[in-house]
Amino acid sequence: DAKTTQPPSMDCAEGRAANLPCNHSTISGNEYVYWYRQIHSQGPQYIIHGLKNNETNEMASLIITEDRKSSTLILPHATLRDTAVYYCIVRPRSGGSNYKLTFGKGTLLTVNP
Amino acid sequence: DSGVTQTPKHLITATGQRVTLRCSPRSGDLSVYWYQQSLDQGLQFLIQYYNGEERAKGNILERFSAQQFPDLHSELNLSSLELGDSALYFCASSPGGSGGNEQFFGPGTRLTVL
């Protein structure tokens, strides 16, 4: 799996957009960018994934640069409940036999009132 | 609620003992994954099963074993427990195959070895 680089921590004011960056300069053509988050000691929660187009769902938006070497997860209106560690992971979506997720240290996002 | 269930929530045991952690995947998911999260190692992949067969192995110790049953639930067996095995153990499931591999995690089992 390609490696990712994320800032260790970020702060955001409640109600504002939280923009979480991720660098994945060695990403391969068949690898997707996945985002998960983990609220304190709970199981990681899937947020969103994308290949090269920008993606949006009810939780977040994912912006992937044209060269696919970096991406940004956007939480449009952060709430206190969004305080969590956010993990950016790159891996193939399907095909092959090993679908494990390789978690790095992630970014601790703290949403402040 | 991800739809993945794990039992028990908490487990306290002594060194040298053996325990079994249980996971029920989301309805229809064929793949089950086990992860370990300790303070010093972070979240680490242990093993994956797909429709009853072992598919991939990660950093799983020889003292640990797993299996997936015909009803697709899975068990992780940890034996000869050591203090360092104290961790959160998560199970995840995904549809597998062409159904995509977004993984959905259970709430975890917190294992404390005294």
Side-chain angles (χ1 to χ4, degrees):
Chain A
D1 293 347
K3 291 185 177 178
T4 62
T5 304
Q6 299 178 252
S9 63
M10 294 183 65
D11 285 331
C12 177
E14 188 176 20
R16 303 297 294 270
N19 298 293
L20 292 95
C22 179
N23 286 321
H24 32 79
S25 58
T26 59
I27 191 169
S28 299
N30 68 336
E31 288 181 318
Y32 285 69
V33 180
Y34 282 78
W35 283 83
Y36 282 76
R37 73 180 182 183
Q38 187 176 25
I39 297 169
H40 181 63
S41 293
Q42 296 181 20
Q45 178 187 23
Y46 165 78
I47 301 173
I48 198 168
H49 74 277
L51 182 63
K52 55 183 178 181
N53 298 319
N54 297 338
E55 302 288 345
T56 295
N57 63 20
E58 65 279 3
M59 288 184 68
S61 294
L62 174 60
I63 308 297
I64 303 173
T65 58
E66 194 170 340
D67 63 6
R68 302 210 323 122
K69 293 185 176 182
S70 65
S71 60
T72 301
L73 178 74
I74 301 172
L75 308 179
H77 306 287
T79 71
L80 298 179
R81 288 177 296 180
D82 291 322
T83 293
V85 177
Y86 287 77
Y87 297 97
C88 169
I89 300 167
V90 293
R91 59 184 280 273
R93 182 167 190 256
S94 62
S97 62
N98 190 345
Y99 303 134
K100 69 176 183 181
L101 293 170
T102 301
F103 290 86
K105 296 188 184 301
T107 296
L108 172 59
L109 174 69
T110 302
V111 181
N112 300 304
Chain B
D1 184 0
S2 66
V4 178
T5 61
Q6 290 186 249
T7 57
K9 285 188 177 181
H10 302 276
L11 199 47
I12 300 174
T13 188
T15 54
Q17 295 298 305
R18 172 189 171 95
V19 297
T20 298
L21 312 183
R22 182 189 169 104
C23 168
S24 293
R26 294 186 320 159
S27 176
D29 283 358
L30 300 179
S31 271
V32 169
Y33 310 76
W34 286 97
Y35 291 83
Q36 179 193 56
Q37 186 172 34
S38 59
L39 282 175
D40 56 344
Q41 294 291 327
L43 264 164
Q44 298 228 322
F45 167 73
L46 295 178
I47 197 165
Q48 176 202 358
Y49 279 82
Y50 176 77
N51 204 19
E53 295 191 2
E54 183 183 303
R55 182 61 68 92
K57 258 185 177 179
N59 300 320
I60 188 166
L61 300 172
E62 285 191 10
R63 301 183 285 108
F64 295 1
S65 64
Q67 58 186 135
Q68 186 179 27
F69 294 87
D71 67 353
L72 300 177
H73 91 271
S74 178
E75 293 181 356
L76 179 67
N77 300 297
L78 315 176
S79 61
S80 302
L81 286 168
E82 302 175 359
L83 296 177
D85 297 327
S86 295
L88 273 166
Y89 291 85
F90 292 106
C91 165
S93 74
S94 70
S98 60
N101 293 290
E102 292 76 29
Q103 295 180 24
F104 296 87
F105 284 75
T109 293
R110 182 177 293 278
L111 173 66
T112 302
V113 182
L114 302 176

